[in-house]
Amino acid sequence: MNLTGHQLLDTSTSAEGSTTFTAKNPAGGVELPTAFHEATATEIDKALQLAQTAAIPLRKLPASQRADFLEAIADEIEALGDALLERAGQETGLPAPRLAAERGRTIDQARAFAHLIRDGNWVDARIDRAQPDREPFPKPDVRSLLQGVGPCVVFGASNFPLAISVAGADTIAALGAGCPVVIKAHHGHPGTCELVASAVLAAAKKTGMPEGTFSLVQGASHETGAALVQHPRTKVVAFTGSLAGGRALANLCAARPEPIPFYGELGSTNPVFLLPGALSERGSDIAEGFIGSLTLGVGQFCTNPGLVVGLAGEQLENFKSSAAGGILGSTPATMLHAGLHSAYINGVERLANTPGLSPLAEAAGADPAQSHAAPTLFETDAATVLGDRSLQEEVFGPASTIVACADKNQLLAFAEQMDGSLTATIHGTDQDLAEHTDLVALLEEKVGRLVFNGFPTGIEVCPSMHHGGPYPASTHAHFTSIGTRTITKFTRPVCYQGFPQKALPAELQDANPMGIQRMVDGEADGATS
């Protein structure tokens, strides 16, 4: 299909604004065809007014119809074929195999959410039946379930142009919960965003979704994002991106006359802890796996291992030597866009100029004109990191620092003061774990996912996955942005007291027409009649 560069406001397109921008191929900076119009305040207002119009009709649709919609989205994205991969490759520099795999993940997660919605158990239905004869006061009939909150604004991420963007988990979860979505396209891959949005809109038409269920707006300015989160119709915002950008939007959400939830996945260093037994048994193998994780996708994953922590000594020195060799043998590659490349160069320069940090290895052959990131490794001691909290700030890309701790107490001190993170990894033996239960207990308070004898990159998209963590990893550690539990971000409990059966949602009726699992009178899977 031909790109328009317009806002896609449900069934209509709009290009009111005179300000335009273009996408550039990060490998060489070549400007790509199609000028994209920055959304105006009027267009943003129209998108959210349409979403408000759709909110109740979409929420009231049978769950099976919303599930059909999600499955149709998967089908329509698949039907875009190679055109989608070609444009995404031009805008991001990502190779075709990576993009094909990411498209598969995007399609699979849409179908997984369709299964979740059709199954119906996600609503957490609870029923407490009336006891009119209870003394001293009668007990009323009380029932509750989770329902969609209304219009949602979702920001497309830069590092996953398909799986965490227009039809990413946040969008799919919100739509499945019955929430209209206005997506803010990422300015780094606006053409990819328009293509995927066209697929979502085609699916909406095919399955009879209410007008206003989905819209896409374009924008390269901070003002566009600010207008979306401050619009009075917006009920919740989901964001994946930088700490600075996310915090600015979170502050705007909190400062509104009606504050709203802001679910931001932000910065994370994802420390890897190397325990003595594991280093002794397989230090070189761990180093090889670490370098593979660090350089995967040019280090452009939010779970990239930015810190490695171990006890000072011969084993750690051997690990450093193996890891440095891996860095020197790696190849610089193109980052997603020039802005990320510039931030990476600045971040590496900041580390290089930090007292107490020493360069350990840097890959050769990086070409700035191609937005190449050179994998880089630094070394330091725990005292330096404990004395300078800026060293815990994420450098987005293939850079990491190995931290040597003088003893176990210093290792624990590092864990105790570390910032919140999406993940922490422990490499150890069974004996190591038995001797470091205090480390595990500390890390349980600091991260959303603990990895044992693996690496944090390569997230398994499944119902039990949790992709979030204490601030600054995310703004709400309770919620995830990957896996089917994502849907809870876009819901709230609604309680019905004393309602007649026919007026209740189907999930709460005694007849249980959907056949879902429920809590009845405090018992799971209790009587349903």
Side-chain angles (χ1 to χ4, degrees), residues 210-302:
E211 183 183 7
T213 292
F214 179 84
S215 293
L216 172 137
V217 299
Q218 300 279 1
S221 71
H222 297 311
E223 289 76 15
T224 299
L228 285 165
V229 304
Q230 290 177 305
H231 194 282
R233 295 298 191 186
T234 302
K235 295 300 181 184
V236 63
V237 177
F239 171 90
T240 298
S242 70
L243 175 59
R247 184 56 190 262
L249 293 172
N251 290 344
L252 290 175
C253 287
R256 288 168 39 127
E258 176 201 359
I260 59 173
F262 176 85
Y263 299 113
E265 183 203 315
L266 310 176
S268 185
T269 53
N270 308 296
V272 176
F273 290 84
L274 308 176
L275 301 184
L279 274 185
S280 177
E281 287 184 1
R282 50 187 175 83
S284 61
D285 290 340
I286 297 173
E288 182 180 355
F290 160 64
I291 295 302
S293 179
L294 178 67
T295 59
L296 182 68
V298 204
Q300 296 170 115
F301 296 117
C302 46

Side-chain angles (χ1 to χ4, degrees), residues 142-231:
V142 179
R143 306 178 184 222
S144 69
L145 80 170
L146 298 178
Q147 288 188 359
V149 296
C152 302
V153 167
V154 176
F155 285 74
S158 66
N159 59 336
F160 279 85
L162 302 176
I164 314 181
S165 192
V166 170
D170 282 332
T171 297
I172 296 298
L175 292 173
C179 299
V181 170
V182 176
I183 185 84
K184 162 63 172 63
H186 194 279
H187 63 277
H189 49 266
T192 304
C193 289
E194 183 178 332
L195 286 171
V196 177
S198 70
V200 176
L201 289 167
K205 182 178 180 180
K206 180 184 293 184
T207 54
M209 292 299 105
E211 183 183 7
T213 292
F214 179 84
S215 293
L216 172 137
V217 299
Q218 300 279 1
S221 71
H222 297 311
E223 289 76 15
T224 299
L228 285 165
V229 304
Q230 290 177 305
H231 194 282

Side-chain angles (χ1 to χ4, degrees), residues 128-142 497-498:
D128 289 281
R129 292 175 291 194
Q131 297 177 14
D133 299 329
R134 189 184 67 174
E135 297 291 343
F137 302 107
K139 177 184 176 182
D141 186 277
V142 179
Q497 181 171 324

Side-chain angles (χ1 to χ4, degrees), residues 328-360:
L328 294 174
S330 63
T331 303
T334 299
M335 297 193 79
L336 288 159
H337 59 80
L340 283 180
H341 176 252
S342 177
Y344 177 72
I345 296 302
N346 292 336
V348 169
E349 184 177 351
R350 173 176 62 83
L351 293 177
N353 292 327
T354 299
L357 241 67
S358 301
L360 187 60

Side-chain angles (χ1 to χ4, degrees), residues 58 81 106 110 114 116 145 155 188 290 308 329 337 342 421 424 433 455 483 490 511:
L58 182 62
T106 308
L116 179 81
L145 80 170
F155 285 74
F290 160 64
V308 181
H337 59 80
S342 177
S421 196
L433 278 185
F455 290 96
F490 307 103

Side-chain angles (χ1 to χ4, degrees), residues 199-529:
V200 176
L201 289 167
K205 182 178 180 180
K206 180 184 293 184
T207 54
M209 292 299 105
E211 183 183 7
T213 292
F214 179 84
S215 293
L216 172 137
V217 299
Q218 300 279 1
S221 71
H222 297 311
E223 289 76 15
T224 299
L228 285 165
V229 304
Q230 290 177 305
H231 194 282
R233 295 298 191 186
T234 302
K235 295 300 181 184
V236 63
V237 177
F239 171 90
T240 298
S242 70
L243 175 59
R247 184 56 190 262
L249 293 172
N251 290 344
L252 290 175
C253 287
R256 288 168 39 127
E258 176 201 359
I260 59 173
F262 176 85
Y263 299 113
E265 183 203 315
L266 310 176
S268 185
T269 53
N270 308 296
V272 176
F273 290 84
L274 308 176
L275 301 184
L279 274 185
S280 177
E281 287 184 1
R282 50 187 175 83
S284 61
D285 290 340
I286 297 173
E288 182 180 355
F290 160 64
I291 295 302
S293 179
L294 178 67
T295 59
L296 182 68
V298 204
Q300 296 170 115
F301 296 117
C302 46
T303 52
N304 206 44
L307 290 170
V308 181
V309 188
L311 297 178
E314 182 180 356
Q315 293 171 355
L316 187 61
E317 292 304 314
N318 290 339
F319 173 86
K320 288 180 184 179
S321 178
S322 296
I327 288 289
L328 294 174
S330 63
T331 303
T334 299
M335 297 193 79
L336 288 159
H337 59 80
L340 283 180
H341 176 252
S342 177
Y344 177 72
I345 296 302
N346 292 336
V348 169
E349 184 177 351
R350 173 176 62 83
L351 293 177
N353 292 327
T354 299
L357 241 67
S358 301
L360 187 60
E362 181 179 5
D367 182 356
Q370 297 294 312
S371 296
H372 279 173
T376 306
L377 199 57
F378 296 90
E379 61 178 334
T380 190
D381 55 33
T384 299
V385 180
L386 290 169
D388 185 353
R389 294 190 67 84
S390 71
L391 295 178
Q392 295 193 45
E393 295 175 5
E394 178 185 35
V395 175
F396 193 71
S400 190
T401 300
I402 299 175
V403 182
C405 298
D407 52 30
K408 180 183 177 182
N409 288 335
Q410 197 171 54
L411 185 75
L412 292 173
F414 177 91
E416 187 170 17
Q417 62 78 53
M418 65 178 266
D419 289 338
S421 196
L422 293 170
T423 74
T425 298
I426 297 173
H427 280 274
T429 62
D430 289 347
Q431 184 64 31
D432 284 328
L433 278 185
E435 294 174 356
H436 291 81
T437 56
D438 41 7
L439 173 64
V440 175
L442 281 172
L443 294 178
E444 287 170 343
E445 297 182 345
K446 296 288 185 174
V447 306
R449 176 166 58 108
L450 280 168
V451 180
F452 183 63
N453 286 345
F455 290 96
T457 49
I459 298 173
E460 183 65 32
V461 181
C462 60
S464 55
M465 177 53 62
H466 183 78
H467 190 61
Y471 185 84
S474 64
T475 52
H476 288 276
H478 183 77
F479 297 97
T480 182
S481 56
I482 292 178
T484 52
R485 195 179 282 161
T486 303
I487 199 168
T488 58
K489 292 193 293 193
F490 307 103
T491 65
R492 64 181 181 88
V494 177
C495 184
Y496 300 82
Q497 181 171 324
F499 267 61
Q501 287 290 310
K502 291 183 179 180
L504 286 167
E507 296 90 340
L508 296 179
Q509 293 174 11
D510 286 347
N512 195 9
M514 296 180 65
I516 64 172
Q517 297 176 0
R518 309 187 296 187
M519 179 179 287
V520 180
D521 294 334
E523 298 290 334
D525 296 322
T528 58
S529 62

